[in-house]
Amino acid sequence: MAQTRKRSAAKRKKQKFTIRVVITCLVILIALFVGVTITSDNEPTVSPQAGNSEILKTTENKSVENSTKKTSETETSGTTTETTTKEASTVGTTKEQETIVITTKPLTGSFYDAVKYRSPDAVPADIFKHGRNLMLLNRQYELPEDFKWDLVYWSNGQHVDAMYLNCEEHNAVKAVDRAAYQPLKDMFAAASEAGVPLQLVSAYRSIYLQDKLFTRSVNSYMSQGYSEADAINKANYSRTFSGTSEHNTGLGFDILEKGNYSLSSSFENTAQFKWLMENAENYGFILRYAENKTVQTGIMYEPWHFRYVGVEHAKKINELGMCLEEYIEYLEA
């Protein structure tokens, strides 16, 4: 009997131990399951939709960053572009409204290095002998190597480097010598008030452009059968060699009635020309190549070409009935 009770007790003890082991294992399994579930909840669900959503979100963030960066870069470069466009718009034609790509060709050494046709008789002009405004340029005198330009844009008076304009892209840009800028503006304003509006067709020309135009004239005459020497002489009657043109300084101007772009002697028949002949001297301008002075100037009659010399000299030149060549001789006599 006692032995039977012992076996029963041992059996119950074993059952309790087994139950405790099972419970312990269940607890451990539950704990592990809960842990895995928590970890899984903290990680993104790996489904096609969720994955694409995350990629899209990342792409959008990068797009925003890139967009911000591009906007910043555009604003920075836009300042330069806007400035260039604003400067370009100072020069008159529709083409000038376009943004000019700056591809300047700074001259190195002599600014005559690339010139094809240069006056064989010219010596350097004396800039200071009678003052800058009276500097004489013609077949006998050309811009000296140490000449310093002082140019401003025609429309707004902002400074511009002559070397910046020395390339094909800027052939149409209108710039004038600083001394002539305000007098020219005042003269144009007065002409408009008088009912004879004027337009500036040509002002400063680079050495490069002048040589291009002169070469074109020479080639035209040669195509008509003239020898190169004769073609050069004929070209020099209507054009001037690079460095001998007043346009190269920014002190010489081709002026016509508004809306006309044809440089023709017929301009002398306009009300604008009559007004200029009566009033230009009051602003410091003279008709540079008069009809009765072609022998002295060596240049054909150009009723459209006016030169800034200053009011005092302009009045004196007209009073004496002289051209600039004669007036310089008069001052030196």
Side-chain angles (χ1 to χ4, degrees):
M1 190 72 176
Q3 191 174 9
T4 301
R5 282 197 299 272
K6 283 183 180 181
R7 281 199 298 268
S8 296
K11 185 176 180 180
R12 286 194 297 273
K13 186 176 180 181
K14 185 177 180 180
Q15 288 175 342
K16 289 180 181 180
F17 176 78
T18 301
I19 291 170
R20 282 197 296 269
V21 170
V22 170
I23 291 172
T24 301
C25 289
L26 287 173
V27 171
I28 292 173
L29 287 174
I30 291 171
L32 288 174
F33 177 77
V34 171
V36 170
T37 303
I38 293 173
T39 304
S40 299
D41 289 340
N42 289 333
E43 292 179 354
T45 304
V46 185
S47 68
Q49 290 182 341
N52 289 337
S53 176
E54 288 299 317
I55 292 172
L56 180 60
K57 198 171 184 179
T58 304
T59 304
E60 287 175 349
N61 290 337
K62 288 184 178 179
S63 297
V64 171
E65 291 176 1
N66 290 338
S67 175
T68 304
K69 185 177 180 182
K70 285 181 180 178
T71 301
S72 177
E73 290 174 350
T74 302
E75 288 173 353
T76 303
S77 62
T79 302
T80 304
T81 302
E82 182 181 350
T83 302
T84 306
T85 306
K86 183 178 180 181
E87 292 178 344
S89 68
T90 66
V91 297
T93 63
T94 303
K95 183 179 180 182
E96 297 153 10
Q97 303 302 325
E98 300 173 0
T99 301
I100 293 179
V101 178
I102 301 176
T103 56
T104 54
K105 301 174 184 176
L107 299 177
T108 57
S110 168
F111 47 67
Y112 293 110
D113 284 347
V115 169
K116 183 174 182 180
Y117 292 109
R118 189 174 176 183
S119 175
D121 307 318
V123 297
D126 191 332
I127 306 173
F128 306 105
K129 193 171 185 178
H130 301 293
R132 183 187 182 92
N133 294 342
L134 287 181
M135 182 175 59
L136 180 63
L137 295 180
N138 53 29
R139 190 178 178 117
Q140 285 72 45
Y141 298 98
E142 66 181 6
L143 282 179
E145 298 286 351
D146 60 347
F147 182 76
K148 298 294 188 294
W149 284 274
D150 188 13
L151 301 177
V152 295
Y153 284 110
W154 164 236
S155 72
N156 57 22
Q158 292 180 353
H159 176 74
V160 58
D161 187 348
M163 296 302 100
Y164 167 82
L165 301 178
N166 191 60
C167 60
E168 186 74 30
E169 288 82 356
H170 303 310
N171 285 350
V173 172
K174 289 185 181 67
V176 305
D177 186 87
R178 186 185 300 276
Y181 172 74
Q182 195 56 52
L184 198 62
K185 284 286 186 182
D186 293 341
M187 185 170 73
F188 273 54
S192 292
E193 290 179 6
V196 287
L198 304 170
Q199 72 171 351
L200 185 61
V201 176
S202 181
Y204 167 79
R205 289 184 202 144
S206 67
I207 298 290
Y208 160 81
L209 177 57
Q210 188 66 26
D211 188 55
K212 180 180 179 180
L213 296 174
F214 191 88
T215 300
R216 183 185 299 167
S217 293
V218 171
N219 291 340
S220 177
Y221 285 118
M222 289 178 66
S223 69
Q224 298 173 41
Y226 290 94
S227 66
E228 184 175 25
D230 289 340
I232 290 173
N233 285 329
K234 289 187 73 66
N236 191 224
Y237 187 61
S238 58
R239 295 282 185 190
T240 51
F241 290 102
S242 287
T244 70
S245 171
E246 292 184 335
H247 286 291
N248 294 151
T249 67
L251 292 166
F253 311 98
D254 291 342
I255 301 173
L256 293 173
E257 71 273 27
K258 203 162 188 177
N260 180 22
Y261 292 89
S262 176
L263 299 177
S264 167
S265 59
S266 62
F267 177 61
E268 69 178 0
N269 301 318
T270 65
Q272 279 81 354
F273 178 74
K274 181 180 179 181
W275 187 91
L276 283 168
M277 293 303 291
E278 293 174 353
N279 296 279
E281 66 176 27
N282 297 325
Y283 301 92
F285 298 89
I286 60 169
L287 177 66
R288 179 65 177 93
Y289 303 116
E291 188 172 18
N292 64 337
K293 298 295 182 180
T294 57
V295 174
Q296 291 86 349
T297 64
I299 299 296
M300 62 180 280
Y301 174 42
E302 294 187 356
W304 59 82
H305 186 103
F306 287 80
R307 161 71 187 266
Y308 181 75
V309 294
V311 175
E312 179 184 351
H313 294 299
K315 289 181 177 293
K316 190 65 176 178
I317 288 172
N318 288 341
E319 177 189 331
L320 295 171
M322 295 179 171
C323 64
L324 188 56
E325 280 79 3
E326 293 173 317
Y327 187 63
I328 295 300
E329 289 182 4
Y330 167 80
L331 292 178
E332 294 177 352

